[in-house]
Amino acid sequence: MATSLEKWVEKQAELTKPDKIYWCDGSEKEARKLIEIGINEEKINGNPIFSKLNQDNWPNAYYHRSHPTDVARTEHLTFVCHPDKETAGPNNNWMDPNEAKAKLTKLSDGCMRGRTMYVLPYTMGHPDSPYSKTCIQLTDVSYVAVSMRIMTRMGKKVIDKIGNSENFVKGLHSVGDFDQNKRFVMHFPQENFVWSIGSGYGGNALLGKKCFSLRIASYQGKKEGWLAEHMIIIGIEDPQGKITYVAAALPSACGKTNLALMQPSLPGYKIWVLGDDIAWLNIGEDGRLWAINPETGFFGVAPGTSMKTNPNMIRTLKAGTFFPTLFTNTAVDTDKIEPWWEGLDGEIPKNLTDWQGNKWDPVSGTKAAHPNSRFTVSITQSPTISKEYNNPKGVPISAIIFGGKRSTTVPLICESFNWQHGVFSGASMGSETTAAATSKVGVLRRDPMAMLPFCGYNMADYFKHWLDMGKRIKNPPSIFFVNWFRTDDKGKFIWPGFGENIRVLKWLIDRINKKISAKETPIGLVPNLSDLNLEGLNIDKNNLEKLFEVDSQKWQEETEDTKTFLEQFGDRMPKEIWNELSALKKRL
Ligand code: OXD
Ligand code: MN
């Protein structure tokens, strides 16, 4: 007798009509085979899916060039299909689930013809974790199958675990014909189901990532009393060897991965990485907040990554274990057959092929690597992986950091007065946009908790859930806000950032350990300059003060803008958030 899983796979195959169905076992041998298939058989736009890179300098690394229209998340084509629009909220595109399914059924009819359907069994989270989830994704491209093996815990055992139960997260993915007019990423939270067609890009196609572990999981978390967040998880070790775990939410491409793999400039400090993108936060048996990273890899932005900005990531990328490392839409040095991107160390190679496969002309003014070109690499290759990484319970969180890219207004670091105030700061956070989504770059967009594109339900209910969580957690973590990006009169960044950010984290640890006091401002608590270790930095006094300046005029404008943003949630908005806004206005 066929199991529920087998029946479900069969049903999807009847619709999509692949030539073959291949059940993946997650083995190393299989990953090699899939790469061979990607090199020799499958094609996108007439090009092979993978090509081999220089194995001496980049061991086990492969190159992938996407369809040129398929280079980032497509938020305008991403829908959350709750039965009613209100549950999806103004933060999501909504479509009635029946209408969405009818639409996708039409588009998916025969979409895998001539292709192989890969069945990917995986868990998000350690299989022994009480917080992990069992999932199946179907896809018709080897790139996605190989990527999922890097990013999740994939293997045959998952199928045994599912057995004949219906209790698994379902994902159906096809690249279709890459037609943008037929591209959709649809979420069905009531059914734990994601259906994506027309795109092979990470955020649209690796369905365990943004689609399940954030959009669907955030909704599960709301129902079940936990949080699925767009956060890194790190352990900060001080010179005495004490490790403090923190989770930090920053919008896409705001230095999240750099923070997660930071090499601290202050002697004696170490940063241990548990995750660079997603955190699931649960209340543990002891009543505290605990975090796991459901993923097992980094899907990071390549441009700007170098031995100077993120040496531990370069080491991770070059570590070469049995997991392949993928580079997508970077440039390629045609002499050495190596990946290249703007910001990488060393001279610009003489002969480069750009991300679209054309010979690159350095005076053309174009970028050789796509600004959102990516690497996909196993976290296990990181020299700074935390020893708690595989702990099924996760790690206890002592502080939560929110942040954004703001050239003005927002100080380098600011501590919230309490949980509710912190939730308000998170709800009102804004950031100048980047290239991770297909929208305008450099405009200020409000992005609460860095979750605007990822919260799978009405954000007003999400804020309420955050407030409720605070009431249930014993000793809720302190909440901080950081901004590494404030600029001087000439538009240059004042703060050196990267490894120097440890100075800011040191202040944060000293605060949570109650070692130092702080200066009260209308927006929260900022450092007394004497408590910040600034030794060896060369920031002039005016600029230093500017880093912590709270300009009343600018903040009044900020509150107005926040109010306009939050008003879109109407009556559903918790009154605590409005109370915080009024209190802030009063303090200003
Ligand atoms: C990502 C994103 O890819 O946030 O992580 O866009
Ligand atoms: Mn992200």
Side-chain angles (χ1 to χ4, degrees):
M1 260 278 280
T3 62
S4 307
L5 168 61
E6 285 161 349
K7 282 187 217 153
W8 179 74
V9 171
E10 206 41 54
K11 198 161 156 222
Q12 311 316 308
E14 269 166 34
L15 172 66
T16 56
K17 305 179 179 58
D19 280 12
K20 274 186 283 193
I21 302 180
Y22 179 97
W23 289 70
C24 290
D25 62 17
S27 65
E28 182 185 345
K29 191 167 147 221
E30 177 180 271
R32 290 189 194 285
K33 181 171 149 190
L34 292 179
I35 285 178
E36 286 305 315
I37 291 174
I39 292 176
N40 298 317
E41 293 173 33
E42 286 178 9
K43 295 209 159 37
I44 288 183
N45 229 15
N47 297 315
I49 302 274
F50 291 120
S51 60
K52 200 173 198 162
L53 291 165
N54 185 322
Q55 300 289 300
D56 294 330
N57 292 341
W58 299 86
N60 214 3
Y62 295 86
Y63 183 72
H64 170 75
R65 187 172 286 131
S66 79
H67 191 279
T69 67
D70 188 30
V71 293
R73 284 183 292 103
T74 41
E75 290 177 11
H76 61 296
L77 304 172
T78 301
F79 289 76
V80 177
C81 308
H82 290 282
D84 71 307
K85 191 169 177 185
E86 277 297 296
T87 305
N91 47 296
N92 281 303
N93 299 316
W94 176 82
M95 201 180 287
D96 172 81
N98 294 323
E99 187 188 334
K101 280 188 192 159
K103 195 177 187 76
L104 288 193
T105 301
K106 217 158 147 193
L107 293 177
S108 301
D109 190 358
C111 66
M112 294 191 185
R113 211 170 257 132
R115 314 182 73 94
T116 300
M117 174 193 271
Y118 300 100
V119 183
L120 316 175
Y122 65 98
T123 62
M124 296 311 291
H126 191 282
D128 296 338
S129 171
Y131 312 124
S132 69
K133 303 283 178 190
T134 311
C135 316
I136 298 285
Q137 173 169 343
L138 310 178
T139 183
D140 58 359
V141 63
S142 54
Y143 171 72
V144 168
V146 175
S147 301
M148 285 293 283
R149 185 170 171 278
I150 301 169
M151 297 301 296
T152 72
R153 292 172 170 94
M154 204 168 118
K156 255 205 318 254
K157 278 196 190 135
V158 179
I159 296 174
D160 302 335
K161 195 166 166 190
I162 293 173
N164 195 23
S165 109
E166 309 234 349
N167 188 13
F168 59 95
V169 176
K170 304 176 180 78
L172 172 55
H173 169 254
S174 168
V175 291
D177 51 10
F178 293 98
D179 182 343
Q180 292 175 84
N181 299 313
K182 297 190 217 150
R183 183 174 295 164
F184 290 101
V185 186
M186 305 269 201
H187 303 73
F188 301 89
Q190 268 71 15
E191 297 166 49
N192 288 335
F193 176 40
V194 185
W195 194 345
S196 165
I197 183 161
S199 166
Y201 174 75
N204 297 333
L206 312 182
L207 304 185
K209 193 174 178 58
K210 305 294 189 182
C211 300
F212 171 59
S213 289
L214 289 177
R215 295 196 191 95
I216 299 239
S218 62
Y219 182 67
Q220 288 184 338
K222 158 85 178 154
K223 288 189 299 185
E224 296 167 6
W226 54 282
L227 292 164
E229 295 298 325
H230 191 198
M231 289 179 172
I232 68 167
I233 311 168
I234 53 175
I236 308 167
E237 183 172 332
D238 70 13
Q240 287 71 47
K242 182 174 174 211
I243 303 180
T244 306
Y245 294 98
V246 310
L250 297 142
S252 309
C254 277
K256 232 163 116 211
T257 302
N258 290 342
L259 183 60
L261 282 107
M262 186 210 289
Q263 181 162 297
S265 67
L266 291 182
Y269 284 86
K270 290 191 189 105
I271 300 285
W272 299 107
V273 65
L274 290 109
D276 85 322
D277 197 38
I278 299 176
W280 285 353
L281 306 172
N282 280 273
I283 300 176
E285 281 166 13
D286 60 359
R288 297 170 68 193
L289 193 65
W290 289 71
I292 63 159
N293 170 18
E295 300 190 287
T296 54
F298 304 128
F299 176 64
V301 176
T305 307
S306 69
M307 281 306 281
K308 223 163 96 205
T309 60
N310 194 341
N312 288 326
M313 185 53 88
I314 298 288
R315 290 176 192 126
T316 306
L317 294 172
K318 292 202 168 208
T321 61
F322 52 89
F323 283 104
T325 299
L326 308 182
F327 293 92
T328 303
N329 292 339
T330 61
V332 177
D333 174 338
T334 28
D335 297 321
K336 292 196 190 147
I337 322 289
E338 289 185 6
W340 188 85
W341 52 80
E342 279 75 11
L344 186 62
D345 310 273
E347 307 264 296
I348 301 177
K350 265 228 264 342
N351 293 306
L352 278 174
T353 305
D354 72 12
W355 68 274
Q356 301 203 61
N358 303 314
K359 189 170 164 48
W360 184 65
D361 176 0
V363 295
S364 66
T366 60
K367 303 262 190 229
H370 188 279
N372 193 36
S373 53
R374 298 274 178 153
F375 48 75
T376 317
V377 66
S378 170
I379 189 172
T380 58
Q381 290 185 186
S382 172
T384 54
I385 187 166
S386 162
K387 66 180 189 323
E388 298 297 333
Y389 167 70
N390 266 325
N391 187 336
K393 274 184 15 193
V395 290
I397 295 296
S398 301
I400 286 175
I401 300 175
F402 292 124
K405 189 173 196 170
R406 297 295 300 267
S407 45
T408 65
T409 320
V410 179
L412 180 62
I413 185 161
C414 178
E415 180 184 344
S416 299
F417 298 122
N418 52 46
W419 181 268
Q420 178 171 306
H421 177 236
V423 172
F424 167 75
S425 320
S428 49
M429 80 194 233
S431 193
E432 287 150 29
T433 51
T434 66
T438 47
S439 58
K440 250 202 185 143
V441 172
V443 293
L444 180 67
R445 129 164 150 162
R446 297 271 149 215
D447 186 355
M449 280 90 166
M451 279 289 278
L452 187 67
F454 306 120
C455 181
Y457 63 104
N458 193 315
M459 270 203 143
D461 302 346
Y462 169 76
F463 301 141
K464 174 84 176 46
H465 182 40
W466 263 85
L467 293 167
D468 290 345
M469 285 288 289
K471 291 178 198 139
R472 290 175 46 225
I473 303 166
K474 195 154 113 197
N475 302 327
S478 305
I479 299 180
F480 294 82
F481 205 102
V482 298
N483 172 30
W484 319 130
F485 301 97
R486 201 136 164 183
T487 52
D488 65 13
D489 299 336
K490 298 189 192 82
K492 274 184 63 181
F493 293 125
I494 300 173
W495 184 248
F498 306 109
E500 304 296 357
N501 290 337
I502 190 63
R503 299 169 191 265
V504 178
L505 297 182
K506 175 183 182 307
W507 182 81
L508 174 150
I509 296 178
D510 288 344
R511 281 294 299 159
I512 53 185
N513 289 331
K514 303 198 168 37
K515 278 200 192 149
I516 50 172
S517 63
K519 198 162 97 189
E520 191 163 333
T521 77
I523 63 162
L525 304 159
V526 300
N528 292 308
L529 284 184
S530 57
D531 289 328
L532 264 186
N533 180 338
L534 297 169
E535 231 176 276
L537 290 187
N538 195 4
I539 306 176
D540 80 49
K541 191 150 181 300
N542 272 349
N543 273 340
L544 202 54
E545 276 164 11
K546 201 164 169 175
L547 274 179
F548 297 100
E549 171 193 72
V550 177
D551 180 323
S552 190
Q553 178 63 35
K554 283 218 173 76
W555 271 94
Q556 274 167 35
E557 289 162 23
E558 186 79 9
T559 54
E560 284 314 309
D561 193 58
T562 301
K563 180 165 170 273
T564 310
F565 174 77
L566 296 177
E567 269 168 359
Q568 67 178 307
F569 297 99
D571 294 346
R572 260 174 122 111
M573 198 65 181
K575 65 173 188 325
E576 290 90 336
I577 300 290
W578 291 128
N579 294 346
E580 285 295 333
L581 185 76
S582 313
L584 170 59
K585 274 189 176 164
K586 239 190 236 142
R587 291 193 299 267
L588 286 165

